[in-house]
Amino acid sequence: MAAAATMAAAARELVLRAGASDMEEEEGPLGEGPGLQEPLQLGELDITSDEFILDEVDIHIQANLEDELVKEALKTGVDLRHYSKQVELELQQIEQKSIRDYIQESENIASLHNQITACDAVLERMEQMLGAFQSDLSSISSEIRTLQEQSGAMNIRLRNRQAVRGKLGELVDGLVVPSALVTAILEAPVTEPRFLEQLQELDAKAAAVREQEARGTAACADVRGVLDRLRVKAVTKIREFILQKIYSFRKPMTNYQIPQTALLKYRFFYQFLLGNERATAKEIRDEYVETLSKIYLSYYRSYLGRLMKVQYEEVAEKDDLMGVEDTAKKGFFSKPSLRSRNTIFTLGTRGSVITPTELEAPILVPHTAQRGEQRYPFEALFRSQHYALLDNSCREYLFICEFFIVSGPAAHDLFHAVMGRTLSMTLKHLESYLADCYDAIAVFLCIHIVLRFRNIAAKRDVPALDRYWEQVLALLWPRFELILEMNVQSVRSTDPQRLGGLDTRPHYITRRYAEFSSALVSINQTFPNERTMQLLGQLQVEVENFVLRVAAEFSSRKEQLVFLINNYDMMLGVLMERAADDSKEVESFQQLLNARTQEFIEELLSPPFGGLVAFVKEAEALIERGQAERLRGEEARVTQLIRGFGSSWKSSVESLSQDVMRSFTNFRNGTSIIQGALTQLIQLYHRFHRILSQPQLRALPARAELINIHHLMVELKKHKPNF
């Protein structure tokens, strides 16, 4: 339909334009012709009017021309007038058909109109009802606002009354003394739970009364007398109970830790005294300090005396030093020395005292050890004594902090008031013992026991012993350094000529050093100390110098080297058992051993193969300088070397092997030296072969008598000892 309408409009325009053109052709130009007619009044259709916009007409025409139906009509040459009439006829038919449809539906349209009218009436009544509702709601909202204002005011009054009631209730509750409180304080034993509960209530009421009195509350005067009498009664009962507990500590053979632990259940008693009767609280604290101070002092003095009776009878003395010879004689009235001085330089199983299992093992019981005739070194006694001291001190410090409600410097002062005399006695005993102690390993173990106990105390959060540990270390370190310096001086001043007969085996002084150094190094690994390493370094230098002084007493260089290798090997082996492989001592002696071993191998090969060694070195030097022609004059010497080596090398190697195995106490070391010597011999003979391959000696007849290198290697392997 739209396309048809568009087509009809376009057709009308074309018809109009065509009619206008025909009229112009028939009439001719305006003003011409026989009868000039009046100008036609076209109004809005006048194209000569200025109001007509030609551009819009062109656009409209152009749009119509682009329509598909118009294009099709123009292409087929349809007569536009006829086509326009046909379109108008179709439009009239459609219009008539539409009118008939409307007439047929007229009853439905009338019914719809009636329904719409009824709906409008219903909606109008609803609008009136909603208007009434709206007016009712507006009046209700105003009433609600009024009620809200009244409710807010009532809430404010209620909160104010509740606040006043709460304050008054607290005041009354704090001032009123119930009969249950009076009965419990006056009649109940202090050990009953209800006494403790009512005591806490009494303490709270006393604090409340004091607070209200400070504010000027007059009602406090009514209950002050009752509370004071109850407080006096409670203080009296608590004082008697706690003093009775403290006096029970003094009974002989009493384990004071049991009643001390029981006191912790009643620690509020002391808190009550501290807040209500400070004089009584101070009396109890002073009595506790006096009692426990005497108990600890008596206990540790007795324990220390009995503990020292189970120490080894044989202890190191000032003459038991590293550089003192075993055969040194003493005066007639001197004490007998240790059966073997080497024991004081050997760690053995003594190092187990600082292992975690032994460090916190139960303390030694002296009378049990005496019955079993057991004896212990000093470090074991030191460990037992100080572990008991550590355990009791930690328990005492924690009890003081909890029962007497102190912390920080106040806790330290109270702890030292209890334990101070005991700690001073222990320090004096240690100082007197160290004045005559010459066992460096024992002192060093005691140092490391203290270092570990200090860490344990820190883990238990007990700093009260820190000062004591520092004082103990201040006694142990100087004594240890003094003993170590005495040993260094003894080695430095040792005269090898006074040591008796010479022997290439390891010297007992170097064995002492090896055991002693490995012991200190293994102990020092956990808590390294630079001063200790410096003193060990000085001792090592003196021992190395001592070994060189003793070696110089041998007449032959070979014996000197055997002595040096045996001692270096022994010291290295002992050190490697306990010290780390990368320690300075191990590296130092390893370098010394390698250097002396290489020198000994050269010294060992020199007698049987010295001529061959000398020729090889001379020939290689000539070849390197470009003077190989001078080798032509050495044919006789070379021939003698070839035949001499071929005839004697087996016996020489056999003699060499036997000599090495007789010279060295360590078979593994001897085997290593033999292997090194045989390897160097093979290398030497291989170099000799290369020299004989030079053009100057290539035609030498004796070259046919040379031993094949591979055959020589096979034969030499037969002389390798197996252990």
Side-chain angles (χ1 to χ4, degrees), residues 380-395:
L381 307 182
F382 182 88
R383 196 261 347 151
S384 180
Q385 170 199 350
H386 280 81
Y387 184 65
L389 186 64
L390 169 69
D391 204 32
N392 285 281
S393 296
C394 291
R395 184 183 295 107

Side-chain angles (χ1 to χ4, degrees), residues 455-466:
N455 286 348
I456 292 174
K459 290 179 181 178
R460 296 182 183 181
D461 197 18
V462 179
L465 286 174
D466 290 348

Side-chain angles (χ1 to χ4, degrees), residues 167-317:
K167 295 293 184 181
L168 290 175
E170 291 178 3
L171 178 61
V172 172
D173 291 341
L175 296 180
V176 172
V177 180
S179 59
L181 188 151
V182 177
T183 303
I185 296 298
L186 295 179
E187 300 176 0
V190 296
T191 55
E192 288 189 4
R194 67 189 183 104
F195 179 84
L196 179 60
E197 294 175 1
Q198 297 303 326
L199 183 67
Q200 293 173 344
E201 182 69 18
L202 177 61
D203 185 62
K205 289 187 178 297
V209 168
R210 286 194 296 270
E211 182 181 356
Q212 293 301 327
E213 284 180 340
R215 297 178 179 178
T217 303
C220 296
D222 297 336
V223 296
R224 166 54 66 186
V226 177
L227 291 177
D228 286 343
R229 288 192 293 273
L230 290 174
R231 179 179 58 80
V232 171
K233 183 62 177 178
V235 167
T236 303
K237 294 176 70 174
I238 291 171
R239 176 181 176 277
E240 292 176 356
F241 172 75
I242 296 179
L243 288 179
Q244 183 182 2
K245 288 288 185 182
I246 294 174
Y247 293 152
S248 67
F249 297 169
R250 302 177 181 178
K251 295 180 181 179
M253 307 300 294
T254 299
N255 185 358
Y256 66 91
Q257 294 178 358
I258 295 176
Q260 188 184 48
T261 305
L263 272 179
L264 287 177
K265 295 191 298 183
Y266 308 104
R267 55 183 175 271
F268 182 75
F269 289 176
Y270 185 81
Q271 182 180 346
F272 178 81
L273 295 178
L274 203 61
N276 295 276
E277 192 63 41
R278 286 188 173 273
T280 305
K282 183 178 183 304
E283 178 190 2
I284 289 176
R285 187 180 65 180
D286 294 343
E287 194 66 33
Y288 177 85
V289 169
E290 182 67 20
T291 301
L292 266 294
S293 176
K294 291 180 180 179
I295 290 174
Y296 280 123
L297 181 62
S298 174
Y299 170 76
Y300 276 100
R301 182 185 286 128
S302 174
Y303 180 70
L304 198 54
R306 294 196 303 268
L307 200 61
M308 297 306 295
K309 293 180 181 179
V310 296
Q311 185 184 6
Y312 282 132
E313 295 180 357
E314 296 180 351
V315 295
E317 299 179 356

Side-chain angles (χ1 to χ4, degrees), residues 202 279 333 353 491-492 539 669:
L202 177 61
F333 296 101
V353 74
V491 175
R492 183 185 296 125
L539 183 60
N669 187 37

Side-chain angles (χ1 to χ4, degrees), residues 340-557:
S340 175
R341 281 196 179 88
N342 291 334
T343 56
I344 66 172
F345 302 104
T346 304
L347 183 62
T349 59
R350 297 171 67 182
S352 62
V353 74
I354 59 175
T355 58
T357 54
E358 290 291 330
L359 193 66
E360 299 186 56
I363 63 174
L364 300 177
V365 182
H367 63 270
T368 303
Q370 286 177 338
R371 284 202 302 265
E373 296 183 353
Q374 295 178 338
R375 297 289 175 174
Y376 300 93
F378 175 72
E379 63 271 9
L381 307 182
F382 182 88
R383 196 261 347 151
S384 180
Q385 170 199 350
H386 280 81
Y387 184 65
L389 186 64
L390 169 69
D391 204 32
N392 285 281
S393 296
C394 291
R395 184 183 295 107
E396 185 63 33
Y397 179 80
L398 296 175
F399 174 83
I400 286 173
C401 292
E402 190 171 357
F403 186 80
F404 291 103
I405 316 173
V406 290
S407 61
H412 287 202
D413 294 341
L414 188 56
F415 172 81
H416 286 288
V418 175
M419 299 294 297
R421 296 167 65 185
T422 303
L423 298 178
S424 299
M425 182 272 297
T426 307
L427 287 172
K428 289 180 181 178
H429 175 269
L430 179 62
E431 185 176 6
S432 64
Y433 179 85
L434 291 177
D436 197 34
C437 177
Y438 297 92
D439 189 350
I441 292 180
V443 177
F444 198 54
L445 285 171
C446 291
I447 290 173
H448 280 265
I449 289 172
V450 171
L451 295 176
R452 285 161 173 78
F453 280 167
R454 185 169 62 180
N455 286 348
I456 292 174
K459 290 179 181 178
R460 296 182 183 181
D461 197 18
V462 179
L465 286 174
D466 290 348
R467 181 182 175 188
Y468 174 75
W469 299 132
E470 295 298 331
Q471 291 174 332
V472 173
L473 292 175
L475 294 176
L476 292 173
W477 274 116
R479 188 63 187 178
F480 171 72
E481 294 176 359
L482 176 62
I483 299 172
L484 210 54
E485 290 173 355
M486 291 173 64
N487 281 284
V488 172
Q489 182 60 36
S490 69
V491 175
R492 183 185 296 125
S493 59
T494 301
D495 185 4
Q497 296 180 354
R498 297 176 56 188
L499 298 178
L502 295 176
D503 192 347
T504 57
R505 291 176 296 179
H507 200 276
Y508 59 84
I509 291 181
T510 58
R511 180 170 291 279
R512 291 175 185 172
Y513 162 76
E515 295 286 351
F516 182 72
S517 179
S518 64
L520 297 189
V521 169
S522 63
I523 296 171
N524 199 49
Q525 288 177 353
T526 308
F527 294 91
N529 181 267
E530 189 62 28
R531 177 61 178 161
T532 303
M533 302 311 297
Q534 292 177 359
L535 292 173
L536 282 178
Q538 295 177 12
L539 183 60
Q540 179 182 345
V541 171
E542 295 301 330
V543 170
E544 291 176 2
N545 293 336
F546 167 76
V547 173
L548 294 176
R549 291 200 303 272
V550 176
E553 297 294 321
F554 292 94
S555 57
S556 67
R557 181 58 180 168

Side-chain angles (χ1 to χ4, degrees), residues 58-220:
D58 293 338
I59 293 172
H60 185 65
I61 294 173
Q62 185 64 32
N64 290 330
L65 290 175
E66 291 177 356
D67 187 86
E68 294 297 330
L69 293 175
V70 175
K71 288 181 180 181
E72 184 67 22
L74 293 175
K75 286 181 180 180
T76 55
V78 176
D79 186 359
L80 295 180
R81 292 185 184 90
H82 181 266
Y83 186 76
S84 174
K85 291 179 180 180
Q86 182 181 356
V87 169
E88 288 180 356
L89 180 61
E90 291 177 354
L91 288 174
Q92 289 175 0
Q93 293 175 354
I94 293 171
E95 182 179 0
Q96 292 296 326
K97 186 177 181 180
S98 176
I99 291 170
R100 287 195 298 271
D101 291 339
Y102 274 108
I103 292 171
Q104 291 176 358
E105 295 294 331
S106 59
E107 294 181 359
N108 294 333
I109 292 173
S111 177
L112 179 62
H113 175 72
N114 294 332
Q115 291 176 2
I116 291 173
T117 303
C119 287
D120 288 341
V122 172
L123 291 175
E124 183 178 359
R125 287 195 301 272
M126 290 181 66
E127 182 179 4
Q128 293 173 357
M129 292 173 62
L130 291 175
F133 288 155
Q134 183 177 6
S135 61
D136 293 341
L137 289 175
S138 61
S139 61
I140 291 173
S141 64
S142 62
E143 293 176 359
I144 290 174
R145 283 194 295 270
T146 303
L147 291 175
Q148 286 178 343
E149 293 174 357
Q150 295 175 358
S151 176
M154 293 175 65
N155 285 333
I156 293 174
R157 290 195 297 271
L158 177 61
R159 285 196 297 269
N160 292 337
R161 291 177 180 179
Q162 288 176 344
V164 171
R165 179 180 178 181
K167 295 293 184 181
L168 290 175
E170 291 178 3
L171 178 61
V172 172
D173 291 341
L175 296 180
V176 172
V177 180
S179 59
L181 188 151
V182 177
T183 303
I185 296 298
L186 295 179
E187 300 176 0
V190 296
T191 55
E192 288 189 4
R194 67 189 183 104
F195 179 84
L196 179 60
E197 294 175 1
Q198 297 303 326
L199 183 67
Q200 293 173 344
E201 182 69 18
L202 177 61
D203 185 62
K205 289 187 178 297
V209 168
R210 286 194 296 270
E211 182 181 356
Q212 293 301 327
E213 284 180 340
R215 297 178 179 178
T217 303
C220 296

